[in-house]
Amino acid sequence: MEMWSTSSTERFYKIPEGKGPHSVGCTDLMTEDAVEGSFLRLYYPAYDATDIEEARWIPDKEYYQGLSDFLNMYRVVGERLFHYYVGSVTCPAKSNAAFKPGEKYPLIVFSHGLGAFRTIYSAICIEMASQGFIVAAVEHRDESASATYYCKRRSVSESQEESTPNMEKEWIYYRKLKTGEEERCLRHKQVQQRAQECIKALNLILKINSGEEVMNVLHSDFDWNSLKDSVDTSRIAVMGHSFGGATVIESLSKEIRFRCGIALDVWMLPVGDDIYQNSVQQPLLFINSEKFQWAENILKIKKLISNDTNKKMITIKGSVHQSFPDFTFVSGGIIARFFKLKGEIDPNEAIDISNHASLAFLQKHLSLKKDFDQWDSLVDGIGPNVIPGTNIDTSPAEPE
């Protein structure tokens, strides 16, 4: 069975398009330094390009294998299921479309969750790019992604054949906890690597912005020189989901060039104890789902917020942990219920609330001259299907 033959998945669902004034392009960038290098998908304002195809949502079958591992499914079963259901899904961004220069765009570095990878938060990243942001979605190599890879050169003997490319993909799959291993210890180590990868991505984009040549081992048609002088280097934010939310906190504590952060349904376990001692000075918005959070996690968020009025927490009613990644848009009823991919709220409404609150928060803390302040009330948890703070009761239990 040919894995990439187009099947009839058009009958299923679509990832929502960006609602802002810009068309959106995307391209992948991987630097040379093997596993220590950077790997990211860049979403950006692009020229209209009706003749260019949309980017494939999940670009390699190895990601299906990694997702199968993560979900404890047999790879052969998972690969066929994912191929059937999402094999022909594209994301509404044009692959390698020409970048639209002419203004300086603020930059967002985006960090994915546990078992995810760089392409599956495209609804959020595309919306941000359509509203005039450049978004660098990092693919983490800390063994928390379902799958990722780096390129390594083939040996001389292997690459002598004319038809063989001289680079090959070296895959890294999700690492499960070992028996008796303490999860917090592993996740804390991983979150520190993830923060460094976010900072590396920031440095890489700024290097490109300054006009330096960057070697992309993936050899796309995209003209990286077109990004020169197009990033607003004083307006940079970091954003992420779940484990990526913890990565946001860690990145803010390590890198002052990130002026603010947005943590979507954050998982606080990986965050080190030192972080709570005033090491995050920047504004931070926590956008939670109704169904994922629990008292211990919320208490940690509240400890981090303390009395800082620039740190806010809101909750989207009827939403679930998977309301933020794209799977919520491309799954039918039975599969969505089985994997808890959809909540009681319409997925499009949930992502709109999250995106609008994010844009309003970014406008305020990056001093943008846009109209995103129309959604300021959402940042305070005021509006349909949103509440301030949390739905979780964190008061200590009364003694019997």
Side-chain angles (χ1 to χ4, degrees):
M1 172 180 165
E2 170 53 46
M3 284 306 300
W4 293 116
S5 59
T6 42
S7 66
S8 52
T9 28
E10 277 74 17
R11 69 177 178 274
F12 292 107
Y13 301 80
K14 278 189 79 67
I15 295 163
E17 294 181 10
K19 297 178 172 66
H22 299 280
S23 294
V24 177
C26 73
T27 191
D28 289 326
L29 174 61
M30 185 188 291
T31 58
E32 284 186 291
D33 323 309
V35 75
E36 279 78 38
S38 282
F39 187 18
L40 58 86
R41 175 162 283 194
L42 197 78
Y43 299 86
Y44 52 88
Y47 284 117
D48 283 331
T50 46
D51 56 327
I52 297 178
E53 287 187 3
E54 289 186 347
R56 182 182 283 156
W57 181 49
I58 298 182
D60 296 273
K61 71 179 188 320
E62 285 82 358
Y63 289 106
Y64 298 158
Q65 295 169 0
L67 285 165
S68 304
D69 293 351
F70 182 69
L71 296 167
N72 294 313
M73 296 165 73
Y74 288 114
R75 280 188 175 188
V76 66
V77 175
E79 203 174 319
R80 290 192 165 204
L81 270 176
F82 283 115
H83 174 65
Y84 177 74
Y85 281 104
V86 298
S88 63
V89 171
T90 57
C91 72
K94 297 299 179 78
S95 188
N96 299 319
F99 175 74
K100 187 161 105 188
E103 61 179 285
K104 285 189 183 289
Y105 302 107
L107 173 66
I108 297 170
V109 175
F110 191 96
S111 172
H112 64 72
L114 193 69
F117 39 93
R118 73 190 186 285
T119 68
I120 62 173
Y121 294 88
S122 68
I124 294 170
C125 296
I126 287 168
E127 175 60 18
M128 296 295 143
S130 80
Q131 299 287 359
F133 291 84
I134 292 171
V135 184
V138 175
E139 190 156 288
H140 293 296
R141 288 166 168 166
D142 61 335
E143 299 180 298
S144 70
S146 273
T148 186
Y149 66 93
Y150 60 93
C151 289
K152 66 172 191 179
R153 295 194 183 281
R154 290 181 190 272
S155 65
V156 177
S157 58
E158 284 180 305
S159 56
Q160 275 171 348
E161 293 175 47
E162 289 293 310
S163 60
T164 312
N166 67 348
M167 301 292 273
E168 64 178 329
K169 292 178 180 178
E170 186 75 17
W171 284 90
I172 303 166
Y173 291 100
Y174 175 75
R175 163 157 124 57
K176 290 188 163 71
L177 277 176
K178 295 169 183 155
T179 311
E181 184 176 19
E182 197 212 342
E183 181 160 32
R184 191 162 184 269
C185 186
L186 171 66
R187 301 308 180 203
H188 182 54
K189 190 174 167 215
Q190 287 176 319
V191 82
Q192 290 175 302
Q193 179 177 334
R194 287 165 142 262
Q196 289 304 333
E197 287 170 338
C198 288
I199 294 163
K200 269 186 208 168
L202 165 60
N203 289 334
L204 181 60
I205 301 302
L206 294 184
K207 195 171 161 183
I208 292 166
N209 182 63
S210 70
E212 276 190 60
E213 282 287 326
V214 168
M215 169 68 183
N216 183 11
V217 300
L218 301 176
H219 302 301
S220 69
D221 297 332
F222 185 72
D223 177 13
W224 287 96
N225 294 323
S226 63
L227 260 69
K228 187 175 187 290
D229 296 329
S230 290
V231 178
D232 188 337
T233 57
S234 67
R235 293 183 167 90
I236 299 165
V238 60
M239 185 175 190
H241 172 243
S242 193
F243 202 173
T247 309
V248 165
I249 295 166
E250 196 76 30
S251 300
L252 289 171
S253 76
K254 285 182 160 68
E255 180 52 75
I256 200 70
R257 289 174 297 173
F258 290 127
R259 278 184 51 188
C260 62
I262 299 169
L264 307 171
D265 226 11
V266 64
W267 180 38
M268 295 296 288
L269 177 83
V271 176
D273 293 336
D274 56 314
I275 299 291
Y276 298 95
Q277 314 304 317
N278 292 325
S279 68
V280 178
Q281 304 296 322
Q282 303 97 312
L284 184 50
L285 175 63
F286 293 93
I287 303 178
N288 293 344
S289 74
E290 186 180 348
K291 306 292 186 194
F292 174 71
Q293 294 295 336
W294 64 101
E296 185 188 5
N297 211 54
I298 292 292
L299 287 168
K300 287 179 176 176
I301 296 172
K302 287 183 169 179
K303 188 176 175 186
L304 194 73
I305 290 173
S306 188
N307 296 314
D308 186 344
T309 54
N310 285 325
K311 292 186 173 74
K312 305 261 191 185
M313 173 169 55
I314 61 170
T315 299
I316 301 172
K317 290 199 285 191
S319 60
V320 294
H321 197 50
Q322 296 299 327
S323 294
F324 300 93
D326 297 333
F327 278 106
T328 191
F329 301 108
V330 297
S331 53
I334 297 164
I335 282 191
R337 278 194 294 277
F338 182 75
F339 288 116
K340 298 188 176 67
L341 299 175
K342 285 185 163 91
E344 289 143 25
I345 189 173
D346 176 271
N348 290 281
E349 187 179 352
I351 211 75
D352 281 352
I353 292 169
S354 179
N355 286 336
H356 291 162
S358 298
L359 288 164
F361 185 80
L362 291 165
Q363 168 149 332
K364 180 176 180 183
H365 296 292
L366 298 180
S367 311
L368 304 174
K369 293 178 173 59
K370 302 276 189 178
D371 62 352
F372 308 150
D373 53 350
Q374 63 183 295
W375 299 304
D376 275 352
S377 61
L378 291 176
V379 180
D380 293 317
I382 298 162
N385 290 315
V386 65
I387 59 168
T390 181
N391 58 307
I392 303 293
D393 180 11
T394 56
S395 57
E398 291 290 318
E400 293 282 317

